[in-house]
Amino acid sequence: MIDFETLMQYKPKIPFRIVEKDLSQWEEMRRKTYFTEEDMRIDHSNDRLKKGEIEIPVYKDNTIRPLNFKGKLLSYDVENYGCGFYKITQKRGIVKPNPNDHRYPKEEVKRDGIHTFYIGYSREEETYKFFESEKTFLELYKPIEELKLSEEVQELINDFIDFAQWFWSPRFKVEYYFGSVIADQTYADYLRLIGYLEENMEMLRSYHLLLNIFGDIDDKTYEYILNSLETLESYMQKAKTHILSLFPNPNIKVNHLNDPERGKPLSQFLQYIELKIAQRGYFVDLDEKKCYPNMWEVFYGQQFSKDFESDISKQERLSELLQKAIDNHQTYFPYK
C-alpha cells in the first residue's frame, strides 16, 4: 500500500485557483449584444501561473434580452485530473429560463463557442503550465496516470472500502457494543476497538490525501477530515491510558461506579465516534459560511441510494442546515 509521505510528493506545493473577472460589473459590457475575442481573453501569464492562478472572464448577469437574444452566456467548466492537472472549457452562448424550473438558467452554447485548454503542474519547476495541445498536456500527465492505476493505489482504495463496509455496518456496532454500555461489555472491548482504529489510522490519512490530490475532495474538506482524525486519536489515547492505568485486568466488565472519573474518557471516545465519524455530517466554517463533509459523508455521497435526492434538493437542504448552524453558532451538524 502506498504511504502518506509518498503521496505528499504528488501534492502541488502551490494550490491552483481560478480568478473570475466578472464582465457584468462594467456597464459597457452589459450593453453589448455579443462579446469580442478581446473581452473573452484568458490571462495565463507566467507571473500568474507561478502564483498558481489564471484569470477567466465570466458574465454573471442573466438578464433576458428581447428579440430572441436571450441572456449572454460566458462561463467555464473545470475537470480536475488530479495532482495539479486540469482541463478547462470556456463556454459562450446564451442563457434562457429553464422550462422545468425557472429558478435556474438553461445554457445554449454556440457551435463555435467552446475553447478548451489545459493546466498542468510541473513538480520539477514548481509552477503551473498552460497548454492548448492535449497531447503535450497528457505527456506531462503520464506519471500521474500511472500512479492512479498503480497496484499500490488500488490496494489503498480497497483497504478503505474494506474498512468502510466493516466500520459502518450493523455487525460492527453489535460486536463493539457501539455507542452504549451493556452488562457484558469489558474494558478489553474498548482496547480492541482502539487497537483496530490505531491499525487503520495511517490508511485513513493516506486515503483522504489520495482523494485530495486527485480532486475528489478539496483542500478544506481534507483539512477538516485530518483534524477529525487527530481529535479521534486524542480521545483514543485518553481512553487507552485511562483503562491501562486503572484496570490492569481489562477483561473485567465495565462498571463506572468503580471508576473515579465515572467512565468520562470512555464515553467521550464513543460519543466522538458516534457523532462525527460514524454518521453523515458536515463541519461548518462560520467565517466562510460554508460547510464541508465529514469522512462518512464523503464516502456515502459517492454511493447509490434508495432515497431520491437530486443535486438541487440536496443543496437546498444543506443551505437550510447551514443557516441553522450559523444562527446557533454551531460548527458541526449531522446530515439528517
Side-chain angles (χ1 to χ4, degrees), residues 72 138 179 183 188:
K72 295 193 289 287
L138 291 176

Side-chain angles (χ1 to χ4, degrees), residues 36 150 220 239 281-282 329:
T36 66
S150 68
K220 201 64 180 284
Y282 284 85
H329 208 73

Side-chain angles (χ1 to χ4, degrees), residues 242 256-265 267:
H242 181 76
H256 292 331
L257 295 178
N258 297 328
D259 186 336
E261 295 187 48
R262 297 296 185 263
K264 184 177 179 181
S267 60

